[in-house]
Amino acid sequence: VQEQAAEAPDPTSSGPPAPGADPTSSTSTAGKSVTVKGGRATMANGAWVNVHSYETPVPPPAYARLEPGHELFAIEVEAYSGPNPDDYLNHFQMHDFRLQMPDNTRLRPDSLVSAAKEPALYNNPLAPDDGIRGWVTFEKRKGEEPKFAVYQTFDGVFKWAL
């Protein structure tokens, strides 16, 4: 598996414009909201994935019990499936993402707090020429900031600096 840094989007790239609001505008009252630079990670079949922003700390849902000294960290992600009905990204889910921490450990998303930031990404089938956007939430130690958001797929490993 080859690791690649996400690249800035190609203006001639296939795929629809990003659905939803302007990806560079992020506002929040929950915690610090930061736009992520780096652009789309484009795959050979024309599909792409992007990490738009992150927010920390994210208030936990009322039912959640975090480990002492931990807080929630969420990344806003988006994917486009690609135009080819014979070769496209047919599935996009929160568990494809990791947070790479300063000691190079990688945290998995926390399913128990996935609804902390809506719309949550969850587990989604995609059709050709389809797009989806949502939040992926992680539980991390307070004061420890992740280095990268990591997307793992059969096409490779893609990273966005945080």
Side-chain angles (χ1 to χ4, degrees):
V1 174
Q2 181 182 12
E3 284 193 7
Q4 302 172 1
E7 297 177 9
D10 177 356
T12 62
S13 153
S14 64
D22 176 6
T24 60
S25 63
S26 340
T27 58
S28 172
T29 57
K32 177 176 72 171
S33 184
V34 178
T35 299
V36 174
K37 295 185 169 108
R40 296 176 182 164
T42 303
M43 293 160 237
N45 62 2
W48 54 258
V49 173
N50 197 4
V51 175
H52 290 292
S53 63
Y54 69 85
E55 189 172 301
T56 186
V58 174
Y63 60 82
R65 299 285 180 254
L66 301 183
E67 292 287 326
H70 283 70
E71 65 186 359
L72 298 182
F73 186 100
I75 57 175
E76 183 186 20
V77 301
E78 181 178 15
Y80 168 66
S81 63
N84 184 349
D86 296 322
D87 182 18
Y88 65 97
L89 179 67
N90 64 3
H91 190 257
F92 191 60
Q93 64 177 338
M94 64 189 231
H95 293 292
D96 295 334
F97 287 91
R98 303 285 185 271
L99 284 184
Q100 186 169 338
M101 303 308 288
D103 64 358
N104 291 320
T105 56
R106 293 188 181 182
L107 303 180
R108 294 175 181 240
D110 191 330
S111 297
L112 297 176
V113 295
S114 57
K117 187 76 178 156
E118 291 288 345
L121 185 61
Y122 298 117
N123 182 6
N124 305 278
L126 297 175
D129 205 33
D130 199 2
I132 190 163
R133 188 168 178 159
W135 290 88
V136 179
T137 305
F138 301 83
E139 184 175 338
K140 68 169 194 69
R141 285 190 296 262
K142 287 182 182 176
E144 187 175 37
E145 297 304 317
K147 296 190 312 184
F148 299 103
V150 181
Y151 175 68
Q152 301 174 184
T153 179
F154 294 114
D155 285 320
V157 176
F158 302 93
K159 292 182 172 186
W160 290 263
L162 300 174

PDB file of all heavy atoms in Angstrom, residues 4-10 13 38-51 78-80 89 92 97 149-153 155-160:
ATOM      1  N   GLN A   4       0.014   8.505   0.075  1.00  0.00           N
ATOM      2  CA  GLN A   4       0.031   9.693  -0.760  1.00  0.00           C
ATOM      3  C   GLN A   4      -0.559  10.849   0.025  1.00  0.00           C
ATOM      4  O   GLN A   4      -1.501  10.668   0.771  1.00  0.00           O
ATOM      5  CB  GLN A   4      -0.810   9.475  -2.018  1.00  0.00           C
ATOM      6  CG  GLN A   4      -0.367   8.305  -2.843  1.00  0.00           C
ATOM      7  CD  GLN A   4      -1.338   8.022  -3.972  1.00  0.00           C
ATOM      8  OE1 GLN A   4      -2.326   8.702  -4.152  1.00  0.00           O
ATOM      9  NE2 GLN A   4      -1.038   7.009  -4.748  1.00  0.00           N
ATOM     10  N   ALA A   5       0.004  12.018  -0.184  1.00  0.00           N
ATOM     11  CA  ALA A   5      -0.600  13.222   0.391  1.00  0.00           C
ATOM     12  C   ALA A   5      -1.715  13.657  -0.537  1.00  0.00           C
ATOM     13  O   ALA A   5      -1.623  13.492  -1.749  1.00  0.00           O
ATOM     14  CB  ALA A   5       0.439  14.323   0.529  1.00  0.00           C
ATOM     15  N   ALA A   6      -2.778  14.176   0.024  1.00  0.00           N
ATOM     16  CA  ALA A   6      -3.874  14.682  -0.796  1.00  0.00           C
ATOM     17  C   ALA A   6      -3.377  15.877  -1.591  1.00  0.00           C
ATOM     18  O   ALA A   6      -2.578  16.667  -1.115  1.00  0.00           O
ATOM     19  CB  ALA A   6      -5.046  15.074   0.087  1.00  0.00           C
ATOM     20  N   GLU A   7      -3.843  15.993  -2.824  1.00  0.00           N
ATOM     21  CA  GLU A   7      -3.420  17.080  -3.696  1.00  0.00           C
ATOM     22  C   GLU A   7      -4.543  18.076  -3.880  1.00  0.00           C
ATOM     23  O   GLU A   7      -5.706  17.746  -3.723  1.00  0.00           O
ATOM     24  CB  GLU A   7      -3.025  16.516  -5.065  1.00  0.00           C
ATOM     25  CG  GLU A   7      -1.835  15.578  -4.981  1.00  0.00           C
ATOM     26  CD  GLU A   7      -1.496  14.980  -6.322  1.00  0.00           C
ATOM     27  OE1 GLU A   7      -2.061  15.411  -7.342  1.00  0.00           O
ATOM     28  OE2 GLU A   7      -0.658  14.082  -6.353  1.00  0.00           O
ATOM     29  N   ALA A   8      -4.172  19.274  -4.272  1.00  0.00           N
ATOM     30  CA  ALA A   8      -5.180  20.289  -4.568  1.00  0.00           C
ATOM     31  C   ALA A   8      -6.032  19.807  -5.725  1.00  0.00           C
ATOM     32  O   ALA A   8      -5.544  19.132  -6.627  1.00  0.00           O
ATOM     33  CB  ALA A   8      -4.505  21.609  -4.920  1.00  0.00           C
ATOM     34  N   PRO A   9      -7.328  20.124  -5.731  1.00  0.00           N
ATOM     35  CA  PRO A   9      -8.198  19.642  -6.785  1.00  0.00           C
ATOM     36  C   PRO A   9      -7.810  20.192  -8.135  1.00  0.00           C
ATOM     37  O   PRO A   9      -7.379  21.331  -8.258  1.00  0.00           O
ATOM     38  CB  PRO A   9      -9.589  20.137  -6.382  1.00  0.00           C
ATOM     39  CG  PRO A   9      -9.391  21.089  -5.274  1.00  0.00           C
ATOM     40  CD  PRO A   9      -8.016  20.920  -4.744  1.00  0.00           C
ATOM     41  N   ASP A  10      -7.946  19.364  -9.147  1.00  0.00           N
ATOM     42  CA  ASP A  10      -7.710  19.753 -10.528  1.00  0.00           C
ATOM     43  C   ASP A  10      -8.971  20.426 -11.027  1.00  0.00           C
ATOM     44  O   ASP A  10     -10.046  19.841 -10.988  1.00  0.00           O
ATOM     45  CB  ASP A  10      -7.406  18.499 -11.355  1.00  0.00           C
ATOM     46  CG  ASP A  10      -7.220  18.774 -12.829  1.00  0.00           C
ATOM     47  OD1 ASP A  10      -7.402  19.935 -13.259  1.00  0.00           O
ATOM     48  OD2 ASP A  10      -6.883  17.818 -13.538  1.00  0.00           O
ATOM     49  N   SER A  13     -11.011  18.367 -13.263  1.00  0.00           N
ATOM     50  CA  SER A  13     -11.339  17.050 -12.751  1.00  0.00           C
ATOM     51  C   SER A  13     -12.809  16.702 -12.968  1.00  0.00           C
ATOM     52  O   SER A  13     -13.667  17.565 -12.941  1.00  0.00           O
ATOM     53  CB  SER A  13     -11.004  17.035 -11.252  1.00  0.00           C
ATOM     54  OG  SER A  13     -11.766  16.126 -10.560  1.00  0.00           O
ATOM     55  N   GLY A  38      -5.226  21.055   1.538  1.00  0.00           N
ATOM     56  CA  GLY A  38      -4.625  19.858   0.960  1.00  0.00           C
ATOM     57  C   GLY A  38      -5.389  19.381  -0.250  1.00  0.00           C
ATOM     58  O   GLY A  38      -4.829  18.823  -1.164  1.00  0.00           O
ATOM     59  N   GLY A  39      -6.675  19.612  -0.282  1.00  0.00           N
ATOM     60  CA  GLY A  39      -7.450  19.262  -1.460  1.00  0.00           C
ATOM     61  C   GLY A  39      -7.874  17.811  -1.525  1.00  0.00           C
ATOM     62  O   GLY A  39      -7.745  17.047  -0.574  1.00  0.00           O
ATOM     63  N   ARG A  40      -8.376  17.469  -2.686  1.00  0.00           N
ATOM     64  CA  ARG A  40      -8.936  16.134  -2.917  1.00  0.00           C
ATOM     65  C   ARG A  40      -7.854  15.084  -3.134  1.00  0.00           C
ATOM     66  O   ARG A  40      -6.835  15.345  -3.738  1.00  0.00           O
ATOM     67  CB  ARG A  40      -9.805  16.151  -4.171  1.00  0.00           C
ATOM     68  CG  ARG A  40     -10.999  17.023  -4.100  1.00  0.00           C
ATOM     69  CD  ARG A  40     -11.719  17.021  -5.437  1.00  0.00           C
ATOM     70  NE  ARG A  40     -12.870  17.918  -5.379  1.00  0.00           N
ATOM     71  CZ  ARG A  40     -13.494  18.349  -6.444  1.00  0.00           C
ATOM     72  NH1 ARG A  40     -13.101  17.994  -7.649  1.00  0.00           N
ATOM     73  NH2 ARG A  40     -14.532  19.138  -6.314  1.00  0.00           N
ATOM     74  N   ALA A  41      -8.140  13.877  -2.678  1.00  0.00           N
ATOM     75  CA  ALA A  41      -7.345  12.698  -3.015  1.00  0.00           C
ATOM     76  C   ALA A  41      -8.118  12.001  -4.135  1.00  0.00           C
ATOM     77  O   ALA A  41      -9.226  11.518  -3.911  1.00  0.00           O
ATOM     78  CB  ALA A  41      -7.206  11.791  -1.809  1.00  0.00           C
ATOM     79  N   THR A  42      -7.563  12.005  -5.335  1.00  0.00           N
ATOM     80  CA  THR A  42      -8.266  11.452  -6.500  1.00  0.00           C
ATOM     81  C   THR A  42      -7.736  10.059  -6.810  1.00  0.00           C
ATOM     82  O   THR A  42      -6.521   9.837  -6.828  1.00  0.00           O
ATOM     83  CB  THR A  42      -8.088  12.376  -7.719  1.00  0.00           C
ATOM     84  OG1 THR A  42      -8.560  13.675  -7.359  1.00  0.00           O
ATOM     85  CG2 THR A  42      -8.874  11.867  -8.909  1.00  0.00           C
ATOM     86  N   MET A  43      -8.650   9.132  -7.067  1.00  0.00           N
ATOM     87  CA  MET A  43      -8.298   7.752  -7.382  1.00  0.00           C
ATOM     88  C   MET A  43      -8.321   7.531  -8.895  1.00  0.00           C
ATOM     89  O   MET A  43      -8.847   8.352  -9.642  1.00  0.00           O
ATOM     90  CB  MET A  43      -9.256   6.816  -6.664  1.00  0.00           C
ATOM     91  CG  MET A  43      -9.069   6.871  -5.158  1.00  0.00           C
ATOM     92  SD  MET A  43     -10.491   6.251  -4.255  1.00  0.00           S
ATOM     93  CE  MET A  43     -10.863   7.677  -3.254  1.00  0.00           C
ATOM     94  N   ALA A  44      -7.758   6.441  -9.327  1.00  0.00           N
ATOM     95  CA  ALA A  44      -7.617   6.146 -10.752  1.00  0.00           C
ATOM     96  C   ALA A  44      -8.959   6.108 -11.491  1.00  0.00           C
ATOM     97  O   ALA A  44      -9.037   6.455 -12.662  1.00  0.00           O
ATOM     98  CB  ALA A  44      -6.878   4.819 -10.941  1.00  0.00           C
ATOM     99  N   ASN A  45     -10.029   5.728 -10.810  1.00  0.00           N
ATOM    100  CA  ASN A  45     -11.337   5.606 -11.464  1.00  0.00           C
ATOM    101  C   ASN A  45     -12.107   6.926 -11.508  1.00  0.00           C
ATOM    102  O   ASN A  45     -13.263   6.959 -11.902  1.00  0.00           O
ATOM    103  CB  ASN A  45     -12.173   4.522 -10.785  1.00  0.00           C
ATOM    104  CG  ASN A  45     -12.459   4.836  -9.325  1.00  0.00           C
ATOM    105  OD1 ASN A  45     -12.066   5.874  -8.810  1.00  0.00           O
ATOM    106  ND2 ASN A  45     -13.141   3.920  -8.671  1.00  0.00           N
ATOM    107  N   GLY A  46     -11.481   8.023 -11.080  1.00  0.00           N
ATOM    108  CA  GLY A  46     -12.146   9.326 -11.092  1.00  0.00           C
ATOM    109  C   GLY A  46     -12.856   9.664  -9.790  1.00  0.00           C
ATOM    110  O   GLY A  46     -13.340  10.778  -9.627  1.00  0.00           O
ATOM    111  N   ALA A  47     -12.926   8.727  -8.879  1.00  0.00           N
ATOM    112  CA  ALA A  47     -13.515   9.008  -7.564  1.00  0.00           C
ATOM    113  C   ALA A  47     -12.556   9.887  -6.781  1.00  0.00           C
ATOM    114  O   ALA A  47     -11.351   9.891  -7.039  1.00  0.00           O
ATOM    115  CB  ALA A  47     -13.767   7.702  -6.813  1.00  0.00           C
ATOM    116  N   TRP A  48     -13.102  10.625  -5.816  1.00  0.00           N
ATOM    117  CA  TRP A  48     -12.231  11.421  -4.956  1.00  0.00           C
ATOM    118  C   TRP A  48     -12.803  11.505  -3.545  1.00  0.00           C
ATOM    119  O   TRP A  48     -13.985  11.292  -3.330  1.00  0.00           O
ATOM    120  CB  TRP A  48     -11.958  12.812  -5.519  1.00  0.00           C
ATOM    121  CG  TRP A  48     -13.143  13.661  -5.869  1.00  0.00           C
ATOM    122  CD1 TRP A  48     -13.647  13.881  -7.114  1.00  0.00           C
ATOM    123  CD2 TRP A  48     -13.976  14.436  -4.985  1.00  0.00           C
ATOM    124  NE1 TRP A  48     -14.723  14.724  -7.063  1.00  0.00           N
ATOM    125  CE2 TRP A  48     -14.952  15.095  -5.779  1.00  0.00           C
ATOM    126  CE3 TRP A  48     -13.994  14.645  -3.612  1.00  0.00           C
ATOM    127  CZ2 TRP A  48     -15.924  15.931  -5.234  1.00  0.00           C
ATOM    128  CZ3 TRP A  48     -14.965  15.477  -3.060  1.00  0.00           C
ATOM    129  CH2 TRP A  48     -15.910  16.112  -3.880  1.00  0.00           C
ATOM    130  N   VAL A  49     -11.897  11.815  -2.618  1.00  0.00           N
ATOM    131  CA  VAL A  49     -12.235  11.992  -1.203  1.00  0.00           C
ATOM    132  C   VAL A  49     -11.563  13.278  -0.748  1.00  0.00           C
ATOM    133  O   VAL A  49     -10.466  13.610  -1.205  1.00  0.00           O
ATOM    134  CB  VAL A  49     -11.732  10.794  -0.364  1.00  0.00           C
ATOM    135  CG1 VAL A  49     -11.915  11.037   1.119  1.00  0.00           C
ATOM    136  CG2 VAL A  49     -12.437   9.516  -0.791  1.00  0.00           C
ATOM    137  N   ASN A  50     -12.216  14.011   0.151  1.00  0.00           N
ATOM    138  CA  ASN A  50     -11.629  15.227   0.686  1.00  0.00           C
ATOM    139  C   ASN A  50     -11.954  15.347   2.172  1.00  0.00           C
ATOM    140  O   ASN A  50     -13.019  14.925   2.615  1.00  0.00           O
ATOM    141  CB  ASN A  50     -12.160  16.456  -0.052  1.00  0.00           C
ATOM    142  CG  ASN A  50     -11.298  17.691   0.161  1.00  0.00           C
ATOM    143  OD1 ASN A  50     -10.254  17.624   0.797  1.00  0.00           O
ATOM    144  ND2 ASN A  50     -11.736  18.809  -0.370  1.00  0.00           N
ATOM    145  N   VAL A  51     -11.014  15.916   2.923  1.00  0.00           N
ATOM    146  CA  VAL A  51     -11.244  16.313   4.311  1.00  0.00           C
ATOM    147  C   VAL A  51     -11.311  17.831   4.286  1.00  0.00           C
ATOM    148  O   VAL A  51     -10.335  18.491   3.940  1.00  0.00           O
ATOM    149  CB  VAL A  51     -10.126  15.810   5.249  1.00  0.00           C
ATOM    150  CG1 VAL A  51     -10.336  16.340   6.665  1.00  0.00           C
ATOM    151  CG2 VAL A  51     -10.085  14.285   5.253  1.00  0.00           C
ATOM    152  N   GLU A  78     -15.846  14.327   2.600  1.00  0.00           N
ATOM    153  CA  GLU A  78     -16.730  14.257   1.442  1.00  0.00           C
ATOM    154  C   GLU A  78     -16.137  13.299   0.433  1.00  0.00           C
ATOM    155  O   GLU A  78     -14.912  13.167   0.322  1.00  0.00           O
ATOM    156  CB  GLU A  78     -16.867  15.641   0.817  1.00  0.00           C
ATOM    157  CG  GLU A  78     -17.796  15.676  -0.380  1.00  0.00           C
ATOM    158  CD  GLU A  78     -17.956  17.064  -0.958  1.00  0.00           C
ATOM    159  OE1 GLU A  78     -17.149  17.957  -0.629  1.00  0.00           O
ATOM    160  OE2 GLU A  78     -18.890  17.251  -1.744  1.00  0.00           O
ATOM    161  N   ALA A  79     -17.007  12.636  -0.321  1.00  0.00           N
ATOM    162  CA  ALA A  79     -16.548  11.732  -1.370  1.00  0.00           C
ATOM    163  C   ALA A  79     -17.430  11.870  -2.604  1.00  0.00           C
ATOM    164  O   ALA A  79     -18.616  12.189  -2.504  1.00  0.00           O
ATOM    165  CB  ALA A  79     -16.586  10.279  -0.894  1.00  0.00           C
ATOM    166  N   TYR A  80     -16.825  11.621  -3.752  1.00  0.00           N
ATOM    167  CA  TYR A  80     -17.522  11.515  -5.039  1.00  0.00           C
ATOM    168  C   TYR A  80     -17.185  10.141  -5.586  1.00  0.00           C
ATOM    169  O   TYR A  80     -16.018   9.734  -5.607  1.00  0.00           O
ATOM    170  CB  TYR A  80     -17.057  12.623  -5.985  1.00  0.00           C
ATOM    171  CG  TYR A  80     -17.504  12.405  -7.406  1.00  0.00           C
ATOM    172  CD1 TYR A  80     -18.856  12.458  -7.742  1.00  0.00           C
ATOM    173  CD2 TYR A  80     -16.586  12.132  -8.409  1.00  0.00           C
ATOM    174  CE1 TYR A  80     -19.271  12.242  -9.042  1.00  0.00           C
ATOM    175  CE2 TYR A  80     -17.001  11.927  -9.713  1.00  0.00           C
ATOM    176  CZ  TYR A  80     -18.333  11.981 -10.033  1.00  0.00           C
ATOM    177  OH  TYR A  80     -18.750  11.771 -11.316  1.00  0.00           O
ATOM    178  N   LEU A  89     -16.367   4.185  -6.764  1.00  0.00           N
ATOM    179  CA  LEU A  89     -16.337   4.030  -5.313  1.00  0.00           C
ATOM    180  C   LEU A  89     -17.763   3.728  -4.864  1.00  0.00           C
ATOM    181  O   LEU A  89     -18.607   4.607  -4.856  1.00  0.00           O
ATOM    182  CB  LEU A  89     -15.815   5.325  -4.664  1.00  0.00           C
ATOM    183  CG  LEU A  89     -15.727   5.362  -3.141  1.00  0.00           C
ATOM    184  CD1 LEU A  89     -14.657   4.397  -2.655  1.00  0.00           C
ATOM    185  CD2 LEU A  89     -15.410   6.775  -2.679  1.00  0.00           C
ATOM    186  N   PHE A  92     -18.704   4.185   1.127  1.00  0.00           N
ATOM    187  CA  PHE A  92     -17.916   5.189   1.846  1.00  0.00           C
ATOM    188  C   PHE A  92     -18.404   5.195   3.283  1.00  0.00           C
ATOM    189  O   PHE A  92     -19.596   5.347   3.535  1.00  0.00           O
ATOM    190  CB  PHE A  92     -18.125   6.561   1.200  1.00  0.00           C
ATOM    191  CG  PHE A  92     -17.186   7.627   1.666  1.00  0.00           C
ATOM    192  CD1 PHE A  92     -15.815   7.507   1.511  1.00  0.00           C
ATOM    193  CD2 PHE A  92     -17.679   8.788   2.244  1.00  0.00           C
ATOM    194  CE1 PHE A  92     -14.949   8.508   1.915  1.00  0.00           C
ATOM    195  CE2 PHE A  92     -16.831   9.799   2.659  1.00  0.00           C
ATOM    196  CZ  PHE A  92     -15.464   9.655   2.482  1.00  0.00           C
ATOM    197  N   PHE A  97     -11.532   5.916   7.912  1.00  0.00           N
ATOM    198  CA  PHE A  97     -10.686   7.015   8.379  1.00  0.00           C
ATOM    199  C   PHE A  97     -10.002   6.694   9.698  1.00  0.00           C
ATOM    200  O   PHE A  97     -10.518   5.931  10.512  1.00  0.00           O
ATOM    201  CB  PHE A  97     -11.530   8.294   8.558  1.00  0.00           C
ATOM    202  CG  PHE A  97     -11.927   8.901   7.259  1.00  0.00           C
ATOM    203  CD1 PHE A  97     -13.122   8.542   6.658  1.00  0.00           C
ATOM    204  CD2 PHE A  97     -11.103   9.808   6.616  1.00  0.00           C
ATOM    205  CE1 PHE A  97     -13.496   9.080   5.442  1.00  0.00           C
ATOM    206  CE2 PHE A  97     -11.468  10.350   5.397  1.00  0.00           C
ATOM    207  CZ  PHE A  97     -12.659   9.990   4.806  1.00  0.00           C
ATOM    208  N   ALA A 149      -5.293  13.405   9.206  1.00  0.00           N
ATOM    209  CA  ALA A 149      -6.481  12.592   8.952  1.00  0.00           C
ATOM    210  C   ALA A 149      -6.051  11.623   7.860  1.00  0.00           C
ATOM    211  O   ALA A 149      -5.433  12.029   6.873  1.00  0.00           O
ATOM    212  CB  ALA A 149      -7.641  13.454   8.479  1.00  0.00           C
ATOM    213  N   VAL A 150      -6.341  10.335   8.038  1.00  0.00           N
ATOM    214  CA  VAL A 150      -5.878   9.303   7.115  1.00  0.00           C
ATOM    215  C   VAL A 150      -7.083   8.563   6.556  1.00  0.00           C
ATOM    216  O   VAL A 150      -7.962   8.144   7.311  1.00  0.00           O
ATOM    217  CB  VAL A 150      -4.933   8.303   7.836  1.00  0.00           C
ATOM    218  CG1 VAL A 150      -4.436   7.234   6.885  1.00  0.00           C
ATOM    219  CG2 VAL A 150      -3.772   9.032   8.504  1.00  0.00           C
ATOM    220  N   TYR A 151      -7.116   8.404   5.222  1.00  0.00           N
ATOM    221  CA  TYR A 151      -8.151   7.618   4.541  1.00  0.00           C
ATOM    222  C   TYR A 151      -7.475   6.395   3.961  1.00  0.00           C
ATOM    223  O   TYR A 151      -6.506   6.510   3.208  1.00  0.00           O
ATOM    224  CB  TYR A 151      -8.818   8.450   3.445  1.00  0.00           C
ATOM    225  CG  TYR A 151      -9.818   7.681   2.610  1.00  0.00           C
ATOM    226  CD1 TYR A 151     -11.017   7.236   3.152  1.00  0.00           C
ATOM    227  CD2 TYR A 151      -9.568   7.394   1.271  1.00  0.00           C
ATOM    228  CE1 TYR A 151     -11.934   6.536   2.393  1.00  0.00           C
ATOM    229  CE2 TYR A 151     -10.485   6.696   0.497  1.00  0.00           C
ATOM    230  CZ  TYR A 151     -11.662   6.267   1.060  1.00  0.00           C
ATOM    231  OH  TYR A 151     -12.575   5.566   0.300  1.00  0.00           O
ATOM    232  N   GLN A 152      -7.959   5.214   4.310  1.00  0.00           N
ATOM    233  CA  GLN A 152      -7.378   3.951   3.857  1.00  0.00           C
ATOM    234  C   GLN A 152      -8.338   3.265   2.905  1.00  0.00           C
ATOM    235  O   GLN A 152      -9.501   3.049   3.245  1.00  0.00           O
ATOM    236  CB  GLN A 152      -7.111   3.037   5.059  1.00  0.00           C
ATOM    237  CG  GLN A 152      -6.189   3.639   6.059  1.00  0.00           C
ATOM    238  CD  GLN A 152      -6.036   2.807   7.319  1.00  0.00           C
ATOM    239  OE1 GLN A 152      -5.380   3.238   8.219  1.00  0.00           O
ATOM    240  NE2 GLN A 152      -6.630   1.635   7.414  1.00  0.00           N
ATOM    241  N   THR A 153      -7.843   2.932   1.706  1.00  0.00           N
ATOM    242  CA  THR A 153      -8.657   2.265   0.705  1.00  0.00           C
ATOM    243  C   THR A 153      -7.781   1.310  -0.093  1.00  0.00           C
ATOM    244  O   THR A 153      -6.552   1.316   0.050  1.00  0.00           O
ATOM    245  CB  THR A 153      -9.328   3.300  -0.228  1.00  0.00           C
ATOM    246  OG1 THR A 153     -10.090   2.629  -1.205  1.00  0.00           O
ATOM    247  CG2 THR A 153      -8.314   4.186  -0.910  1.00  0.00           C
ATOM    248  N   ASP A 155      -7.089   1.629  -3.075  1.00  0.00           N
ATOM    249  CA  ASP A 155      -6.290   2.459  -3.979  1.00  0.00           C
ATOM    250  C   ASP A 155      -5.083   3.084  -3.299  1.00  0.00           C
ATOM    251  O   ASP A 155      -4.270   3.727  -3.945  1.00  0.00           O
ATOM    252  CB  ASP A 155      -7.151   3.573  -4.597  1.00  0.00           C
ATOM    253  CG  ASP A 155      -8.071   3.056  -5.676  1.00  0.00           C
ATOM    254  OD1 ASP A 155      -7.622   2.193  -6.465  1.00  0.00           O
ATOM    255  OD2 ASP A 155      -9.227   3.499  -5.726  1.00  0.00           O
ATOM    256  N   GLY A 156      -4.968   2.973  -1.986  1.00  0.00           N
ATOM    257  CA  GLY A 156      -3.841   3.538  -1.279  1.00  0.00           C
ATOM    258  C   GLY A 156      -4.235   4.148   0.039  1.00  0.00           C
ATOM    259  O   GLY A 156      -5.362   3.977   0.515  1.00  0.00           O
ATOM    260  N   VAL A 157      -3.286   4.852   0.625  1.00  0.00           N
ATOM    261  CA  VAL A 157      -3.492   5.556   1.879  1.00  0.00           C
ATOM    262  C   VAL A 157      -3.283   7.034   1.587  1.00  0.00           C
ATOM    263  O   VAL A 157      -2.268   7.417   1.020  1.00  0.00           O
ATOM    264  CB  VAL A 157      -2.495   5.065   2.955  1.00  0.00           C
ATOM    265  CG1 VAL A 157      -2.644   5.872   4.230  1.00  0.00           C
ATOM    266  CG2 VAL A 157      -2.704   3.584   3.230  1.00  0.00           C
ATOM    267  N   PHE A 158      -4.267   7.855   1.945  1.00  0.00           N
ATOM    268  CA  PHE A 158      -4.219   9.277   1.672  1.00  0.00           C
ATOM    269  C   PHE A 158      -4.231  10.028   3.000  1.00  0.00           C
ATOM    270  O   PHE A 158      -4.946   9.640   3.916  1.00  0.00           O
ATOM    271  CB  PHE A 158      -5.420   9.697   0.816  1.00  0.00           C
ATOM    272  CG  PHE A 158      -5.492   8.953  -0.494  1.00  0.00           C
ATOM    273  CD1 PHE A 158      -6.237   7.794  -0.595  1.00  0.00           C
ATOM    274  CD2 PHE A 158      -4.807   9.414  -1.598  1.00  0.00           C
ATOM    275  CE1 PHE A 158      -6.315   7.100  -1.801  1.00  0.00           C
ATOM    276  CE2 PHE A 158      -4.876   8.737  -2.808  1.00  0.00           C
ATOM    277  CZ  PHE A 158      -5.629   7.570  -2.907  1.00  0.00           C
ATOM    278  N   LYS A 159      -3.444  11.123   3.088  1.00  0.00           N
ATOM    279  CA  LYS A 159      -3.311  11.862   4.347  1.00  0.00           C
ATOM    280  C   LYS A 159      -3.560  13.358   4.112  1.00  0.00           C
ATOM    281  O   LYS A 159      -3.152  13.904   3.100  1.00  0.00           O
ATOM    282  CB  LYS A 159      -1.906  11.705   4.915  1.00  0.00           C
ATOM    283  CG  LYS A 159      -1.581  10.323   5.400  1.00  0.00           C
ATOM    284  CD  LYS A 159      -0.168  10.329   5.978  1.00  0.00           C
ATOM    285  CE  LYS A 159       0.147   9.027   6.665  1.00  0.00           C
ATOM    286  NZ  LYS A 159       1.457   9.096   7.331  1.00  0.00           N
ATOM    287  N   TRP A 160      -4.195  13.961   5.115  1.00  0.00           N
ATOM    288  CA  TRP A 160      -4.386  15.412   5.162  1.00  0.00           C
ATOM    289  C   TRP A 160      -3.745  15.907   6.455  1.00  0.00           C
ATOM    290  O   TRP A 160      -4.094  15.434   7.552  1.00  0.00           O
ATOM    291  CB  TRP A 160      -5.853  15.775   5.154  1.00  0.00           C
ATOM    292  CG  TRP A 160      -6.548  15.507   3.868  1.00  0.00           C
ATOM    293  CD1 TRP A 160      -6.796  16.413   2.875  1.00  0.00           C
ATOM    294  CD2 TRP A 160      -7.085  14.264   3.412  1.00  0.00           C
ATOM    295  NE1 TRP A 160      -7.454  15.800   1.832  1.00  0.00           N
ATOM    296  CE2 TRP A 160      -7.644  14.469   2.140  1.00  0.00           C
ATOM    297  CE3 TRP A 160      -7.132  12.975   3.939  1.00  0.00           C
ATOM    298  CZ2 TRP A 160      -8.252  13.465   1.400  1.00  0.00           C
ATOM    299  CZ3 TRP A 160      -7.730  11.959   3.212  1.00  0.00           C
ATOM    300  CH2 TRP A 160      -8.279  12.207   1.950  1.00  0.00           C
TER     301      TRP A 160
END
